[in-house]
Amino acid sequence: IQGVLIGLIATLGDGWVCHPITWPMMYPILSGWVVGLILGNPLAGAAAGAYINLAYLGFVSAGGSMPGNMMIAGVYGTALTLLAGANPELAPTLAVPLGLFGIAVWNLQMTVNAAWVHRADRYAEEGNWKGVMLMNFVPPQIVVFLLNGAPAILLMLAGPEFFQSLLGQIPQGVVD
């Protein structure tokens, strides 16, 4: 259940259907608190999210450049930190590489979602406005779930032991 809820947060934080409502969920300080709430420790989640948020204070996605996927960093980084039992101060170390990987996920998402625009154009030529609305809301949200939500569910299925073993692979000078 926790995996599904975190997957839902990862989906809604980057989804098109609820984006005006869930825009604040993109910020790690809020998504960290929600992930912490789901995992049973909202204060540690908020602390991890706050540390991750520090890395994105100057976040500006101008002119098509994206310095990192803040939402992926916040949701996944907080979950990883809490599952590994790591100190919240270590959260940016875990989250920033995920945010950089999130750029590739975002580009893939935008590339796949371009297909729905062409289909919506065909519906518009036919005068089928329900089809246009459908292509603007349903398939893109499914793509967001597959690229953002499903990996979060898999992350949770790996379990705390897996992430604690990963944490053990980080050199001691970094963890201390």
Side-chain angles (χ1 to χ4, degrees):
I1 292 174
Q2 289 175 323
V4 171
L5 291 173
I6 290 174
L8 185 64
I9 295 302
T11 300
L12 291 178
D14 201 18
W16 296 36
V17 174
C18 301
H19 205 43
I21 298 166
T22 60
W23 178 260
M25 191 61 66
M26 185 177 88
Y27 293 97
I29 193 162
L30 180 58
S31 63
W33 177 79
V34 174
V35 168
L37 187 66
I38 292 168
L39 294 177
N41 195 344
L43 293 179
Y51 279 108
I52 295 167
N53 213 109
L54 288 173
Y56 294 98
L57 278 179
F59 182 86
V60 175
S61 182
S65 73
M66 188 172 186
N69 190 323
M70 189 170 27
M71 189 280 308
I72 294 234
V75 172
Y76 288 28
T78 300
L80 253 136
T81 301
L82 296 180
L83 288 171
N87 187 325
E89 294 173 0
L90 187 62
T93 305
L94 302 171
V96 169
L98 291 168
L100 293 174
F101 176 72
I103 296 170
V105 172
W106 175 261
N107 288 333
L108 178 61
Q109 177 182 328
M110 293 297 105
T111 301
V112 171
N113 282 341
W116 316 126
V117 175
H118 298 298
R119 186 165 265 172
D121 285 343
R122 276 189 259 141
Y123 283 133
E125 288 172 2
E126 298 168 4
N128 182 351
W129 297 110
K130 287 183 182 179
V132 172
M133 294 297 287
L134 178 78
M135 288 300 114
N136 278 292
F137 290 108
V138 176
Q141 197 67 39
I142 291 169
V143 171
V144 171
F145 172 75
L146 291 174
L147 295 177
N148 292 343
I153 293 169
L154 294 175
L155 206 141
M156 290 299 297
L157 290 175
E161 298 81 23
F162 175 74
F163 296 108
Q164 289 166 355
S165 71
L166 279 181
L167 191 61
Q169 301 299 319
I170 297 175
Q172 282 301 320
V174 175
V175 177
D176 292 338

